[in-house]
């Protein structure tokens, strides 16, 4: 069962980090290297519980389409997005946010539970390539969000 667990410290208040993490425009900008764009559902602005968005992007030279929905929402502490339709057999991304107010920072934790299709072949691709690739995408996304909010992230 592939799992990505990433912690990032962002130098901004928890509410700002939470809100920007749910912003479709910020997501699109952070994934510009993959040409990611929203094509259905919420097309711009901040998402909330029950909202969904369909993304198209190019990864590994292949054009992908994935619809994800916000299935849990507790501003400014936590939200979960899950694949409704798309390339994964399973995709669940839990985002948690903890304020470290004395330091003026927010601790962001991303836990992604995913499974590729195609059984053993998908498991092998996940192990050899996909896990590292997806982790790097989330690291880059968090670095983008930290930059927009005026700081550089620290990662664990």
């Amino acid at each position: 069962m592939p799992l990505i667990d990433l912690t990032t410290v962002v130098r901004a208040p928890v509410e700002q980090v939470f809100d920007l993490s749910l912003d479709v425009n910020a997501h699109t900008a952070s994934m510009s290297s993959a040409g990611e764009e929203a094509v259905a559902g919420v097309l711009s602005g901040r998402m909330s519980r029950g909202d969904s968005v369909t993304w198209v992007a190019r990864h590994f030279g292949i054009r992908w389409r994935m619809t994800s929905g916000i299935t849990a929402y507790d501003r400014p502490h936590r939200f979960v997005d899950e694949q409704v339709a798309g390339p994964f057999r399973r995709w669940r991304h839990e985002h948690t946010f903890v304020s470290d107010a004395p330091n003026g920072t927010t601790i962001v934790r991303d836990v992604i539970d995913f499974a590729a299709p195609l059984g053993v072949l998908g498991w092998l691709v996940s192990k050899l390539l996909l896990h590292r690739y997806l982790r790097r995408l989330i690291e880059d996304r968090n670095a983008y969000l930290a930059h927009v909010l005026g700081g550089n992230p620290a990662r664990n």
Side-chain angles (χ1 to χ4, degrees):
M1 173 178 346
L3 188 73
I4 297 168
D5 191 341
L6 177 67
T7 301
T8 309
V9 178
V10 179
R11 292 174 183 91
V14 67
E15 293 85 359
Q16 289 179 11
V17 180
F18 181 91
D19 291 347
L20 193 60
S21 295
L22 278 162
D23 188 276
V24 171
N25 305 84
H27 181 86
T28 301
S30 72
M31 296 291 171
S32 63
S33 65
E36 193 154 327
E37 63 179 312
V39 296
V42 177
L43 299 176
S44 66
R46 187 175 39 190
M47 297 179 67
S48 188
R49 182 178 178 83
D51 287 344
S52 66
V53 60
T54 300
W55 303 101
V56 293
R58 186 168 300 280
H59 298 281
F60 306 110
I62 300 168
R63 190 163 169 87
W64 301 95
R65 183 181 187 95
M66 178 173 156
T67 301
S68 61
I70 306 299
T71 58
Y73 181 92
D74 177 22
R75 183 180 188 271
H77 308 290
R78 174 181 174 268
F79 73 89
V80 175
D81 65 85
E82 296 186 68
Q83 176 183 277
V84 174
F88 294 96
R89 194 175 80 223
R90 178 181 69 250
W91 176 272
R92 182 180 188 277
H93 184 174
E94 181 175 11
H95 311 249
T96 57
F97 306 83
V98 177
S99 174
D100 186 5
N103 294 320
T105 63
T106 298
I107 301 164
V108 179
R109 183 171 181 215
D110 293 278
V111 177
I112 303 166
D113 176 21
F114 72 96
L118 306 176
V120 174
L121 179 59
W123 177 86
L124 186 60
V125 168
S126 292
K127 189 88 170 152
L128 296 176
L129 182 69
L130 195 55
H131 187 277
R132 185 174 354 172
Y133 181 80
L134 292 171
R135 181 180 178 91
R136 182 62 189 200
L137 278 178
I138 300 303
E139 288 173 346
D140 290 349
R141 178 181 185 280
N142 288 350
Y144 175 86
L145 297 175
H147 175 74
V148 166
L149 292 168
N152 295 314
R155 286 180 265 216
N156 292 6

